[in-house]
Amino acid sequence: INVAPSSITIEFEDQLLKMKGQQPNRIALLDAENRSIKLGKVKNLGKTLSVKIIGKATNPGVYRIKYRAVAQDGHPVLGEVTYTLAKV
């Protein structure tokens, strides 16, 4: 991609678990050197997780989005997605 994203949104097929006072669903963003990028609070929007990217994620390279989501039936889903930020 040519423009650094300002947020991350991941959609799932099933409704995600909501727990009052707890957040069982997580998203992490790692840069090309495996350093964690600061994110805002993960929002559970039913079948979607969304989070704002607060830290600097504008250097060219490969970024990894790691996530852990828990469906309402209690089954966890772990995954990872990568994107490459081009030199602009």
Side-chain angles (χ1 to χ4, degrees), residues 1-4 58-63 83-88:
I1 60 176
N2 293 320
V3 177
T58 56
N59 292 331
V62 177
Y63 288 81
Y83 69 89
T84 302
L85 184 58
K87 194 173 192 176
V88 207

Side-chain angles (χ1 to χ4, degrees), residues 25-69:
N25 304 300
R26 297 186 181 99
I27 297 176
L29 177 61
L30 304 171
D31 69 11
E33 299 185 8
N34 210 34
R35 293 180 297 220
S36 184
I37 305 295
K38 185 175 181 177
L39 302 176
K41 184 178 177 182
V42 175
K43 295 179 184 177
N44 180 341
L45 306 170
K47 292 184 177 184
T48 303
L49 293 179
S50 182
V51 66
K52 288 189 178 207
I53 299 172
I54 296 172
K56 184 179 178 197
T58 56
N59 292 331
V62 177
Y63 288 81
R64 291 186 302 143
I65 300 168
K66 297 176 83 171
Y67 61 87
R68 178 185 187 271

